[in-house]
Amino acid sequence: MTTRTASRNPFGALATGPRLPLVTASVFLVTLGCGIAQLVHRPLYDAVVRDAARINDGEWYRLVTGMFFQDGWAFGLVSNLLWLAVFGTLAERVFGRGRWLALYFGCGLFGQFMSYVWLNPVGAGNSMCVAGLIGALAAVVMVASRRYGVVLPVQFRVMAFAVPVLAVADTVVHDNHGLPCLLGMALGFLLRPRPVVSGKQG
């Protein structure tokens, strides 16, 4: 396998998934709709937020709805949707739609559960889902040269190796984004796409 440098569009060299990020767009629109509904009808938030006491009473659906509503309200909605648009699109191009769904909702649900039992028992937001995508992308960047023959710019490699360090530090200070990010890295290694073999053998 020849090694090629990717500087103009770094992740483009790793993108083997669909060009149109339809899954990202769909989740984006659903999350946007939930956020607008929450802002228009504020009591809705109390019915869907991750709340350990309510979950203990059997309202387990809150672990799922907590991934679509925002405890940061308007600011949280806008910022989390921006992160989703950027990293969701990149992850869908790299991993494809099925793996994207597994990463996004698997890491998100894991983050919601760990927040419920340990880190942050009350809250909501899709940022832990996006943290999982970031971890998965970092895993692909780490193996890009060896597995895909793609040499990414040094700043991307530095950021990728900084991700697990920051995720551990995040968990130590009792924030709830570090663990789903670390799970995303582990799943990213397992679900990373196969190298594309190009050229003819003669």
Side-chain angles (χ1 to χ4, degrees):
M1 179 185 295
T2 58
T3 300
R4 58 192 189 279
T5 301
S7 56
R8 188 173 182 181
N9 183 11
F11 280 97
L14 300 173
T16 59
R19 289 188 175 276
L20 293 177
L22 297 181
V23 172
T24 299
S26 298
V27 174
F28 182 100
L29 291 174
V30 172
T31 306
L32 173 62
C34 291
I36 293 174
Q38 168 188 342
L39 295 174
V40 172
H41 185 63
R42 296 180 73 88
L44 175 62
Y45 177 77
D46 292 330
V48 297
V49 63
R50 179 186 71 250
D51 185 324
R54 302 284 184 85
I55 295 172
N56 288 339
D57 288 337
E59 298 180 7
W60 290 94
Y61 67 87
R62 292 173 180 269
L63 294 175
V64 176
T65 55
M67 292 187 282
F68 292 95
F69 295 83
Q70 313 295 330
D71 55 19
W73 297 88
F75 177 79
L77 177 64
V78 172
S79 60
N80 285 347
L81 286 178
L82 286 175
W83 288 111
L84 171 59
V86 173
F87 291 104
T89 299
L90 289 173
E92 190 168 347
R93 290 285 287 120
V94 171
F95 289 97
R97 291 167 181 159
R99 292 185 178 95
W100 190 101
L101 288 168
L103 288 165
Y104 187 85
F105 289 108
C107 294
L109 187 60
F110 173 73
Q112 293 288 333
F113 180 78
M114 294 306 297
S115 295
Y116 154 59
V117 298
W118 177 35
L119 290 168
N120 193 356
V122 178
N126 68 311
S127 56
M128 289 186 286
C129 305
V130 177
L133 297 181
I134 293 173
L137 288 169
V140 172
V141 171
M142 288 179 179
V143 300
S145 176
R146 174 171 51 84
R147 183 174 176 83
Y148 303 106
V150 176
V151 179
L152 295 171
V154 65
Q155 60 266 30
F156 283 87
R157 287 176 277 159
V158 170
M159 287 188 291
F161 282 97
V163 165
V165 177
L166 294 174
V168 171
D170 183 87
T171 306
V172 168
V173 299
H174 223 69
D175 189 73
N176 54 358
H177 295 84
L179 289 179
C181 183
L182 291 172
L183 177 62
M185 290 194 69
L187 292 177
F189 280 115
L190 293 174
L191 300 177
R192 63 191 187 274
R194 294 179 180 275
V196 176
V197 179
S198 60
K200 296 182 179 180
Q201 294 182 350

